[in-house]
Amino acid sequence: MSGLSTVGKSVLRIDAHDKVTGAAVYADDLQFGPGLYYGRLVRSPHAHALIIKVDASRALALPGVKAVVTGRDTPTRIGLYLKDRTIFALDRARMVGDPVAGVVATSEEIAEEAARLVEVKYEELPAVFDPVVAIQPDAPLIHPDLGEYEVVPFIFPQPGTNISEHFKLRRGDVEAAWPRCAAIIEGTFRLPPIQHVPIEPHVAVALWELSGQVSLWTCSQSPFAQRDLIAQSLGIPHGNLRVIAPYVGGGFGGKAGVSMEAAAVAMARAVKGHPVKLRMTREEEFICTTARQSLVANIMIGCDDQANLLAMEVAYYFGGGSSNEYGVNIARAAGYSCTGPYLVPNVKGDSYCVYTNTPIGSAMRGFGMPEIHWGIEQIMDQLAEKVAMDPAEFRRRNCVKTGRTILTGMEMPAIDLVACIDKVTQAIQWEKRPPASAPHKKRGKGLAIMWKAPAMPPNPGSSAMVRFNEDATVNVEIGAQDLGQGAFTVLAQIAAETLGVPYEWVRISVPVDTKYSPYEWQTVASRITWSVGNAVRAAAGDARQKILAVVAEHWHEDPADLDIRDGAVVSFKSEREQPLQNMVVYGLPNDDFEGWKGGPVVGSGKFMPTYVTNLDFETGQGTRAVVHYTVGAQAVDLEVDTETGQVEVLKIASAYDVGKAINPDLVLTQIEGGAVHGLSSAYEAIRLDAQGRPLNANLVDYRIATIADIPREIHGDIVETPLEDGPWGARGVGEHVMVQTAPAIANALYDALGVRFSELPLSAEKIFMALHGS
Amino acid sequence: MSVHPIAVTINGKAEYLEVPAHMTLLQMLRDRLALTGTKNGCEAGECGACTVLLDGQPVNSCLVLAVEVDGRQVVTVEGLAQDGTLSGLQQAFIEHNAVQCGFCTPGMLISSQALLARNPSPDEDAIKEALLGNLCRCTGYGRIIQAIQDVARGGGAS
Amino acid sequence: MLARPGLPQFEYVRATTSVGVHDLLSTANARLLMGGTDLFTQMRDGVWRPRVVVDVKHIPGMQDITMDPGGLTVGAAVTMNQLARHPAVQRLYPALAQAASSVGSFQLRNRATLGGNLCNASPCADTAPAVAALEAILVLSGPAGQRETPFYDFVLGPGRTVVGTDEFLIGIRFPAQPAGSAGCYLKLGRSRMGDLSVVGVAVVAFRDLAARSGYRFRLALGSVAPVALRVPAAESLLAAEPPHETNLAAAADLAMHAAVPISDVRATAIYQTLMVRTLTLRALESAWAQLQGAGR
């Protein structure tokens, strides 16, 4: 800790004052004046259908309607990793809610009425909702043109099937290892699609000016990726498309990549000169933006009689929804991390992303990891039981450790997962099993561990600029977004620490605006503290060097003898002091004012990982599959009402190895919020009827955790094993905090009830029925 | 469609407006008065992001017609700070890191304010009952409970 | 298919007397507005598209709770929070107070009304079982004056009541409860609080020398039939012999057998059926404990 003045301190959030006063501006809060038009989308009522004809004549006749846009206006495909969809459905609707047309009118009310007047003639096709059914040879083909789609080099679609990605992991020889196993557990685990449910639904406002300049204001985790993808799809020069992203009211991956924003831009093109606002109702947010993919996981794991893991064979079938443009990389990430946080010498893994006629599966907090850990972490408990070892000890023995070779052939970067296990077992009093509070209740404890790597292309870049003002306050320009996770605060701390100025002097230049903000790939993958942190540190370091050079010259000293402390340059040698005020803009006068030196100080910096290597298509082996992993553990203490099946979680204890907590209390707020998000996720499911129509696209029947559902106690611990290339050793933790909560609950339920649950959600009904048979 | 003149006091200030019959209080606040601190999260009375005080009582402003508030008092998040000084709850939310994305925060503050007005020292169950209708996806609620308890204990800005 | 943003257009009429309201209701494709908590979502869902919305909560008496020797009268537009926090209702009609306080969230209960909850006639209306167990009388206003109907005749099925096209509910009368009455409303939702009920059970119990057991229990179930369901067989059983472990369980079994739920997105019929037994037993035990406590 020595020498750090801001990093490692729990300074207060830089954005909190705006947010408690209502001053914080979100996309829907922006004011555009009376010229603003509104859009509404016409959506397919069918899960799979050919679009025979779109007749907008009645809609266009309605007073106030300005334009109707259809798939014919947006024929160029769009997508992050696989360009597999058009902004409006062109010839085929692939899910209930697929946008078929967009209506622009002078009010949202008129646009809504007009949207109901657009007549679409469909020819229904057979639909498929389950990924395992969708891979059968006779399944309806959802993307017959898959072979023509543009795709990044590390994703492998299988044209002629519904498989958009197949990742293969082959290590050792599983067939030879099975006979050597003393215990083998096999299971099939299922997870339904769930939704992010940010409290802020998606909203976008687009303006296509007559000059060809295009602006998009939207709640976005990915302003630069949106600029890139929309520019490509609609033929806009990147320099002409400006994406402005004010505060985001919760993202969780749902506002990453592109979803409805592109439609707003396409609709704005039809009414040049007028901004067009498109906002999702809560009902649309549930099924028409994006969701977490469903998963069917077949998992078999074996260990020897000393509890050493020997072999693992998995097949993951992700139900990717109607478009897998982002979801393909979830299946890939699940593939190269398919063992979970364990050292397994023999592995056969197959991970598939599969088209289904369901809401679009895309990035969600955890990016494939909550899905695969659901099964893995339950099987590890079963194996431990079979070889009569404490589940915590079983995990300590087999979990990934620094320097050991993991499934892809990569050497595990520095982490301490055992310390995380130790922390949570201590916090939950793992050795003690107190009785339940009533005769009709049963109590149990469960443990689960996790890992997750940032899942992204090998070379996602970050950049930052640092500019000084006359009074030595500092503007830090970044393209990263604060979704609530505290990125702006942490980046301000990093700038302050590097520059040697008080935290209070730092301003983050927001809203992020692709016209003025430096490039950022996306605010995803828990990569901001690490990647943007490095870029800000580099930019601040650059500014610092420039300041020191000027002052050193002024004092005729060596810059190496100078430092910036608390906003002033100091010399260790001469003990002189030069406040930063004014000199960071005006420079310093030479002796006797014979000229000047220095000038406005601007620092720039960037960070991009350069060391991630290709993985072999047949084996998934390579030198460096990912940049790093963050690991953690959770333990749960719960009580079940055996007469109703209702579960009360008494305590969740979590510990994560974050490398270095730049702001420890903000790390804890992620840990606490993530535990509740993870708890909630165990009870959530998007439900569709047999025709693929939503049954619970509202907050009444899709319930997220309320304040009454939280555990009585939420405990968090921070482990700090520095990451080689993280700022002060920091690595990300935003997503990891909910990855293993559901299996930890399942393991605690088994401890309490002696019953296993292989399928989410864990409704009270399901638990009651499992307890009492049929 | 009918249009109605209304007189309403919002955050202590008299406002005179003409509102269409089907305009909700939420739409009036956001679209007519640019009081955008009150958020639209579901339009169904389920998320609580649009909670405001109506004659001192918390209501979902998406479930109230603008015409219904004629002659009444409305307080929004913009009315909680007095002369630039944050309320005890606002200060406590900052100090307890009870804010993440901030989208639920205005509604949370309004519901909390109403709770403390009717029950100055609520226990945890009373807080849960009062904030049940305010959904938050970020914080896990624990810090919000702590912030309210801090204010109730007279801490507030401690 | 999906709910619309905002409300559809309509005209708003604020009624301060019932005069004229009946005409509007019968001629103008009108809907009543009290709390709006159901009406607004139903209008967004396209269930209703009225030309006129008549705000009747300002008609005198609609928001009043009055007690007299004959019992309790609740104006149709009395909110759930008014009801739940009214000391006399809490003391004398605890099942009603508990049912009212179990509805939605605090801010929702500041708008949701007892009359709206009953007239909406949802099978899962939380107050319906309590109103049924308390044998309330509903007072309707029509062009020819007022008429009264017992609650057990009021709801015809999901969304359907006996209210005529030119009538509206103005109040709910609860008969005076014998001294020392007990009662409770227990509700099972998918989450701890605030959900719609998967099963709701209301019990009202009091000493009654006319009953062989010396006690009268009234039991009503919610969410497990098209309408709130009284369980006469269980009530008779407990009127015949004083409650003890075995016949309380038998009464709960009778309630379970009376339930005719349907499976939906919230729960399967079999789970609802089984939960009727659990909740009924707990509700009866609670009421019995209250009676014994009051007797000492």
Side-chain angles (χ1 to χ4, degrees), chain A residues 583-649:
Chain A
M583 71 82 46
V584 284
V585 170
Y586 303 119
L588 291 168
N590 292 335
D591 295 341
D592 302 324
F593 289 88
E594 294 290 322
W596 289 69
K597 59 176 78 70
V601 175
V602 178
S604 70
K606 58 97 180 168
F607 178 78
M608 185 180 86
T610 52
Y611 44 74
V612 173
T613 61
N614 192 29
L615 300 179
D616 182 78
F617 169 66
E618 291 298 337
T619 65
Q621 299 297 299
T623 310
R624 184 80 180 249
V626 297
V627 288
H628 57 260
Y629 281 93
T630 298
V631 297
Q634 269 182 337
V636 168
D637 182 4
L638 56 72
E639 205 165 68
V640 185
D641 182 333
T642 60
E643 293 174 357
T644 61
Q646 289 175 309
V647 174
E648 184 183 6
V649 176

Side-chain angles (χ1 to χ4, degrees), chain A residues 64-130:
Chain A
V65 173
K66 296 298 177 184
V68 175
V69 179
T70 70
R72 289 178 193 281
D73 301 306
T74 60
T76 307
R77 292 189 194 95
I78 191 169
L80 188 67
Y81 294 105
L82 168 67
K83 296 195 191 306
D84 72 353
R85 69 181 175 95
T86 51
I87 295 171
F88 290 96
L90 187 52
D91 53 356
R92 183 187 289 252
R94 295 180 169 89
M95 65 170 197
V96 172
D98 226 353
V100 175
V103 179
V104 183
T106 51
S107 74
E108 191 174 49
E109 204 173 306
I110 295 170
E112 170 70 17
E113 298 300 336
R116 291 160 188 263
L117 296 176
V118 174
E119 292 168 36
V120 185
K121 192 176 169 202
Y122 297 95
E123 181 183 317
E124 277 193 76
L125 296 171
V128 59
F129 308 111
D130 183 311

Side-chain angles (χ1 to χ4, degrees), chain B residues 1-6 19-23 64-70 72, chain C residues 8-16 24 31-34 39-40 43 50-58 111:
Chain B
M1 184 181 80
S2 50
V3 173
H4 304 262
I6 61 167
V19 295
H22 65 299
M23 174 178 271
V64 177
L65 294 179
V67 60
E68 288 184 86
V69 302
D70 185 23
R72 303 176 73 177
Chain C
Q9 291 188 2
F10 50 77
E11 286 178 32
Y12 172 86
V13 174
R14 176 179 164 134
T16 50
L24 265 180
R31 296 295 302 173
L32 294 175
L33 169 65
M34 291 195 288
L39 178 64
F40 286 17
M43 286 197 289
R51 190 174 72 71
V52 181
V53 164
V54 192
D55 186 350
V56 292
K57 62 179 166 288
H58 302 288
R111 289 283 292 174

Side-chain angles (χ1 to χ4, degrees), chain A residues 277-472:
Chain A
K277 177 181 277 198
L278 180 63
R279 66 185 184 96
M280 297 296 97
T281 62
R282 176 57 62 185
E283 294 79 5
E284 289 178 296
E285 184 73 20
F286 269 111
I287 63 157
C288 306
T289 59
T290 60
R292 188 170 93 181
Q293 301 177 323
S294 68
L295 175 70
V296 177
N298 296 323
I299 307 175
M300 184 158 85
I301 311 175
C303 65
D304 66 17
D305 59 1
Q306 297 302 301
N308 299 302
L309 289 175
L310 290 184
M312 183 159 178
E313 185 168 342
V314 301
Y316 298 144
Y317 303 96
F318 285 92
S322 64
S323 161
N324 297 351
E325 50 121 329
Y326 205 141
V328 287
N329 201 38
I330 299 171
R332 181 174 192 269
Y336 63 63
S337 294
C338 72
T339 53
Y342 294 95
L343 297 165
V344 190
N346 302 288
V347 184
K348 179 172 186 244
D350 290 279
S351 187
Y352 303 89
C353 193
V354 184
Y355 287 117
T356 48
N357 296 112
T358 58
I360 296 173
S362 189
M364 179 166 161
R365 201 177 200 178
F367 208 74
M369 296 303 105
E371 296 94 306
I372 69 169
H373 283 72
W374 167 242
I376 293 169
E377 280 304 282
Q378 292 200 62
I379 289 188
M380 293 302 171
D381 255 31
Q382 291 172 278
L383 281 173
E385 187 180 15
K386 246 189 163 173
V387 299
M389 181 178 276
D390 175 75
E393 193 50 40
F394 186 91
R395 287 180 170 83
R396 284 190 193 95
R397 172 174 299 224
N398 286 294
C399 72
V400 287
K401 293 171 183 85
T402 305
R404 298 286 296 276
T405 302
I406 59 171
L407 72 166
T408 50
M410 165 181 164
E411 196 176 281
M412 188 69 190
I415 44 89
D416 195 345
L417 183 46
V418 171
C420 297
I421 297 171
D422 292 345
K423 293 266 191 199
V424 301
T425 49
Q426 192 178 354
I428 209 86
Q429 297 188 287
W430 183 247
E431 314 303 329
K432 294 183 185 158
R433 298 296 150 116
S437 64
H440 65 282
K441 292 187 176 178
K442 290 191 172 176
R443 187 166 172 181
K445 293 183 183 178
L447 174 69
I449 61 174
M450 64 74 60
W451 75 346
K452 184 190 179 297
M456 51 197 188
N459 58 336
S462 296
S463 51
M465 302 280 285
V466 167
R467 287 189 291 113
F468 271 97
N469 303 309
E470 293 88 335
D471 61 354

Side-chain angles (χ1 to χ4, degrees), chain A residues 7-275:
Chain A
V7 160
K9 304 276 192 302
S10 294
V11 301
L12 296 179
R13 292 183 67 108
I14 204 166
D15 53 350
H17 191 281
D18 277 358
K19 287 176 175 177
V20 299
T21 53
V25 172
Y26 299 79
D28 197 31
D29 303 340
L30 295 162
Q31 306 291 314
F32 290 89
L36 179 64
Y37 288 169
Y38 295 82
R40 289 291 294 159
L41 301 181
V42 179
R43 298 186 177 281
S44 168
H46 305 296
H48 198 189
L50 295 177
I51 298 167
I52 306 301
K53 190 179 168 204
V54 180
D55 180 356
S57 52
R58 286 180 64 210
L60 284 164
L62 196 69
V65 173
K66 296 298 177 184
V68 175
V69 179
T70 70
R72 289 178 193 281
D73 301 306
T74 60
T76 307
R77 292 189 194 95
I78 191 169
L80 188 67
Y81 294 105
L82 168 67
K83 296 195 191 306
D84 72 353
R85 69 181 175 95
T86 51
I87 295 171
F88 290 96
L90 187 52
D91 53 356
R92 183 187 289 252
R94 295 180 169 89
M95 65 170 197
V96 172
D98 226 353
V100 175
V103 179
V104 183
T106 51
S107 74
E108 191 174 49
E109 204 173 306
I110 295 170
E112 170 70 17
E113 298 300 336
R116 291 160 188 263
L117 296 176
V118 174
E119 292 168 36
V120 185
K121 192 176 169 202
Y122 297 95
E123 181 183 317
E124 277 193 76
L125 296 171
V128 59
F129 308 111
D130 183 311
V132 174
V133 178
I135 57 167
Q136 303 305 317
D138 57 346
L141 209 52
I142 298 171
H143 284 266
D145 300 332
L146 179 56
E148 296 169 21
Y149 296 169
E150 188 184 331
V151 61
V152 295
F154 51 86
I155 296 294
F156 304 98
Q158 314 280 300
T161 76
N162 284 321
I163 297 170
S164 57
E165 157 70 351
H166 179 193
F167 183 90
K168 290 185 253 185
L169 196 297
R170 304 287 183 268
R171 183 166 187 83
D173 184 347
V174 284
E175 294 310 321
W178 294 123
R180 292 191 284 123
C181 291
I184 297 174
I185 300 284
E186 187 178 4
T188 296
F189 297 85
R190 289 173 182 271
L191 298 91
I194 65 174
Q195 222 265 334
H196 314 78
V197 198
I199 308 303
E200 174 198 40
H202 277 67
V203 58
V205 181
L207 169 62
W208 196 302
E209 293 176 61
L210 294 167
S211 66
Q213 284 290 322
V214 182
S215 300
L216 169 64
W217 295 263
T218 183
C219 50
S220 177
Q221 299 180 231
S222 312
F224 288 88
Q226 289 177 345
R227 181 183 67 174
D228 183 29
L229 298 178
I230 294 170
Q232 288 183 50
S233 182
L234 293 178
I236 308 166
H238 283 65
N240 283 16
L241 176 54
R242 175 182 174 199
V243 181
I244 303 115
Y247 279 120
V248 176
F252 313 107
K255 291 164 183 166
V258 175
S259 65
M260 46 68 80
E261 304 83 8
V265 179
M267 290 157 81
R269 183 173 60 182
V271 290
K272 292 191 177 76
H274 283 274

Side-chain angles (χ1 to χ4, degrees), chain A residues 13 19-20 26 28-29 109 195-196 249-250 279 282 483-484 665 669-670 672-673 680 684 700 705-706, chain B residues 22 30 36 39-41 46 77 86 90 97 99-103 109 128 132 135 137-141 143:
Chain A
R13 292 183 67 108
K19 287 176 175 177
V20 299
Y26 299 79
D28 197 31
D29 303 340
E109 204 173 306
Q195 222 265 334
H196 314 78
R279 66 185 184 96
R282 176 57 62 185
L483 318 172
D665 202 52
T669 62
Q670 286 303 296
E672 295 164 18
S680 186
E684 296 176 21
V700 175
T706 70
Chain B
H22 65 299
R30 291 183 54 82
T36 54
K39 303 302 182 195
N40 178 354
E46 294 296 330
V77 68
L86 297 183
Q90 287 174 313
N97 276 326
V99 176
Q100 287 191 29
C101 87
F103 205 77
L109 286 164
K128 287 180 176 178
L132 182 67
L135 297 178
R137 195 59 151 169
C138 299
T139 65
Y141 304 102
R143 300 301 184 102

Side-chain angles (χ1 to χ4, degrees), chain C residues 105-173:
Chain C
S105 63
F106 189 86
Q107 54 267 58
L108 199 88
R109 294 196 295 276
N110 272 336
R111 289 283 292 174
T113 63
L114 178 63
N117 198 228
L118 299 177
C119 289
N120 196 44
S122 163
C124 61
D126 277 306
T127 58
V131 172
L134 289 164
E135 302 195 327
I137 306 291
L138 273 54
V139 184
L140 302 177
S141 168
Q146 295 185 359
R147 72 175 174 114
E148 298 188 349
T149 174
F151 182 65
Y152 64 79
D153 284 339
F154 181 74
V155 181
L156 300 173
R160 292 189 303 125
T161 67
V162 300
V163 179
T165 50
D166 55 359
E167 292 181 308
F168 65 101
L169 178 70
I170 56 169
I172 302 98
R173 290 223 330 258

